[in-house]
Amino acid sequence: MTDVLDKKKIRKVFRNVQKHLAIAQLIRRFSTNKQDIRKTALQHVDLSPCRHVLELGCAFGAFTEALKDKLNPHAQVTGIDIIPEYRPFFMEACKRAGYEGVFISSGIDRIMKFPAASFDLVICSYALYFFPEIIPEIARVLKKDGWFITITHSNADMKEMVGIVKRILRQNHLLQEDQSLPIEIIFDQFSAENGEKLLQPFFRKIQTIDFKNTLVFQTKEIEHFVDYFQFKKSFFLTENEAHNKTIIRQLFKELQETAMKNNFVTMCKDDRIFICSDPLTVED
């Protein structure tokens, strides 16, 4: 587990900010569900009184940008991310949303330095599975009438790609029969399936919203599917580049064959939104 959640590996995947932005656009382009999941999450709560906001694993601030016109006009959003390269992108997102922004790159443990009940709203999209151990801290830093809104993947996310990669790795004697890929272990840290159980000890009220989605790639678009895999490959493969090139070639070949047979390739991108309120503290 330590190796799977190694900060160097996480940085390696997400450090290329422009590539991350391109992948986010790719997902929107090939999604069957064209709604913005972050806006879907925010439309269910009245956040107009919120002035102090914390975004965890903020990256380039997509969730913060979705807060436009939702908060008190004088709100300040603090973003935390271990990758300092996101700073200018997050600050621009705050500006587009119309709020003052603060960016912290010292790591998620920084939350422990915030006083209790110091935020009206904490948000986190597609990151809590990297640090589920800080859920008690999220409840601690929230005000009694505050909100915690988080978005995460289903365990079925990318199941088609996971299945193909595991089969190819086993054929090449690089994965044992009962062995999971790093991406599976990461998602299982906090998923649609176990998220509520992990949140219940720290929040009295939890609302869930399922966000069903599928990526569909036509035969001529398979290279975009491979682009997505290349972005996340550190969570699928080892550091052995020779092996990786072999696996990627075999993956591309199998995808091409599937696309030619069915005229398209699909990939599950089901997610779940958790809207939490009435935080519990040690005193409770």
Side-chain angles (χ1 to χ4, degrees):
M1 180 63 70
T2 302
D3 179 60
V4 170
L5 298 175
D6 181 72
K7 288 182 179 180
K8 290 181 179 179
K9 184 170 286 189
I10 296 171
R11 287 191 181 101
K12 182 177 181 179
V13 173
F14 296 106
R15 171 154 253 154
N16 187 332
V17 181
Q18 293 296 344
K19 184 65 175 177
H20 192 183
L21 284 165
I23 292 300
Q25 293 168 357
L26 182 152
I27 291 171
R28 286 193 293 271
R29 175 183 170 186
F30 293 103
S31 288
T32 55
N33 189 339
K34 296 301 183 182
Q35 292 183 313
D36 185 326
I37 189 171
R38 295 172 178 89
K39 290 182 179 179
T40 298
L42 296 171
Q43 70 186 14
H44 294 273
V45 289
D46 176 17
L47 302 175
S48 57
C50 296
R51 296 191 60 163
H52 302 284
V53 180
L54 176 64
E55 181 172 4
L56 303 172
C58 63
F60 40 79
F63 212 166
T64 286
E65 192 164 348
L67 290 168
K68 182 178 173 63
D69 299 326
K70 296 282 186 181
L71 309 176
N72 182 294
H74 303 290
Q76 180 187 79
V77 184
T78 300
I80 298 179
D81 201 287
I82 61 170
I83 300 174
E85 286 86 350
Y86 282 123
R87 180 187 298 275
F89 297 89
F90 175 78
M91 298 304 291
E92 281 297 317
C94 291
K95 187 182 296 185
R96 289 192 295 270
Y99 308 119
E100 181 183 352
V102 175
F103 182 87
I104 299 170
S105 61
S106 56
I108 203 65
D109 290 345
R110 179 65 175 79
I111 193 173
M112 297 177 185
K113 297 183 180 180
F114 292 122
S118 53
F119 291 99
D120 304 296
L121 171 67
V122 178
I123 56 176
C124 180
S125 59
Y126 306 117
L128 194 55
Y129 36 67
F130 290 123
F131 39 78
E133 69 279 359
I134 60 116
I135 292 175
E137 287 295 310
I138 295 171
R140 183 188 66 81
V141 302
L142 269 178
K143 296 179 181 178
K144 271 297 180 184
D145 58 351
W147 297 91
F148 173 48
I149 304 176
T150 187
I151 302 168
T152 196
H153 295 304
S154 162
N155 281 336
D157 187 81
M158 298 191 292
K159 62 182 180 182
E160 298 86 351
M161 186 182 292
V162 168
I164 293 171
V165 172
K166 289 176 80 169
R167 185 165 62 253
I168 293 172
L169 287 172
R170 286 168 182 156
Q171 288 170 355
N172 287 272
H173 307 290
L174 297 172
L175 189 75
Q176 296 178 9
E177 195 62 37
D178 60 347
Q179 191 176 350
S180 297
L181 296 180
I183 195 76
E184 295 179 283
I185 299 170
I186 290 169
F187 286 173
D188 196 48
Q189 289 275 100
F190 184 87
S191 67
E193 290 75 16
N194 67 11
E196 188 166 0
K197 181 180 178 180
L198 294 171
L199 292 164
Q200 277 179 339
F202 308 101
F203 296 93
R204 284 195 177 91
K205 299 176 183 177
I206 302 171
Q207 178 186 357
T208 62
I209 302 168
D210 286 328
F211 191 89
K212 299 294 185 180
N213 190 23
T214 303
L215 303 188
V216 179
F217 300 86
Q218 303 300 321
T219 306
K220 62 183 179 181
E221 298 164 337
I222 295 302
E223 68 272 12
H224 296 295
F225 192 115
V226 177
D227 283 345
Y228 184 85
F229 176 78
Q230 289 274 23
F231 178 68
K232 292 282 186 76
K233 70 177 182 180
S234 291
F235 293 146
F236 282 88
L237 305 177
T238 67
E239 300 301 315
N240 188 315
E241 287 300 322
H243 283 155
N244 290 354
K245 289 178 181 178
T246 300
I247 302 306
I248 292 169
R249 279 198 302 269
Q250 292 180 13
L251 172 68
F252 187 60
K253 182 175 181 291
E254 185 159 338
L255 290 172
Q256 283 182 314
E257 290 172 353
T258 302
M260 290 179 67
K261 179 181 177 181
N262 302 323
N263 295 320
F264 59 86
V265 171
T266 63
M267 185 167 69
C268 176
K269 289 298 292 178
D270 290 346
D271 298 322
R272 179 169 287 180
I273 300 162
F274 293 93
I275 301 173
C276 309
S277 57
D278 202 354
L280 294 163
T281 61
V282 174
E283 290 74 18
D284 296 320

